[in-house]
Amino acid sequence: MLAPPRTVIRREAGMYAMEQALRRRGFDRIAGADEAGRGACAGPLVVAACSLPPGRRGEVPGLADSKLLTPASRDRVYDEVIARASAYAVVVVDTPDVDHRGVHAANIDGMRRAVGLLDQRAQYVLTDGFRVDGFCAPALAVPKGDRVVACIAAASVLAKVTRDRLMVELHEAWPQYDFARHKGYITAEHTAALARARRV
């Protein structure tokens, strides 16, 4: 039996290269999945899945890994992703659930849920960094996927902006922790605020 032809990923296509290669192999609905809040010490874990349409419609101006964008740029890209995506879903995993199950298990489950909530069922799933089973579709983990694959980068922006907005809401309830600034990631000021809270 002859082996199937190799799929060529064209470097000149940039962040869209992997999706284009998969479409040439017959996978039309490709979803990327990523999370925000995995390394935070406060706040929820937010997981997103996103499918971008082929062609110019799916080319998102300014799209990049959410961590490389300024807050204003992230907000602009978020609006573009929402407008252009053929399907997207965002899942918020509350802090008690993360504490109970552990961040990795909660993250894996969140990715499965987000992909499962897409209006169009994914034919192929790309995840950032580590393998996730149970999607009911072929899946591939892409190292630094949020920097090199458009649909993963789009999911990272959806997750990050959603989580940041939730942390601003938490700041309004507990301003002493300064969540609006550090979004629940550990800082010297946050550590000091926690120490003061323990002494009260």
Side-chain angles (χ1 to χ4, degrees), residues 62-198:
L63 181 63
D65 172 9
S66 63
K67 295 184 291 297
L68 302 179
L69 297 171
T70 65
S73 296
R74 271 198 302 269
D75 284 340
R76 284 195 298 271
V77 173
Y78 175 93
D79 291 340
E80 288 283 355
V81 170
I82 295 294
R84 292 169 180 265
S86 51
Y88 69 91
V90 179
V91 170
V92 178
V93 185
D94 290 331
T95 304
D97 195 10
V98 175
D99 290 344
H100 175 70
R101 293 194 291 165
V103 68
H104 185 68
N107 189 20
I108 295 291
D109 182 59
M111 287 193 174
R112 292 178 185 139
R113 287 167 55 200
V115 170
L117 287 170
L118 293 172
D119 290 339
Q120 300 177 3
R121 183 172 177 178
Q123 295 173 317
Y124 207 101
V125 181
L126 300 169
T127 58
D128 180 28
F130 56 87
R131 178 178 170 176
V132 180
D133 296 320
F135 283 127
C136 298
L140 178 68
V142 182
K144 299 190 183 301
D146 49 5
R147 297 190 182 195
V148 299
V149 178
C151 61
I152 299 177
S156 82
V157 169
L158 293 177
K160 174 66 174 165
V161 172
T162 299
R163 187 178 187 280
D164 283 358
R165 291 175 180 177
L166 290 171
M167 295 308 295
V168 169
E169 291 178 12
L170 287 177
H171 175 84
E172 293 172 4
W174 293 287
Q176 67 270 31
Y177 295 111
D178 204 15
F179 291 140
R181 188 173 64 82
H182 59 69
K183 307 302 189 293
Y185 291 88
I186 195 67
T187 63
E189 293 81 6
H190 188 203
T191 301
L194 290 172
R196 287 193 298 271
R198 288 192 196 100

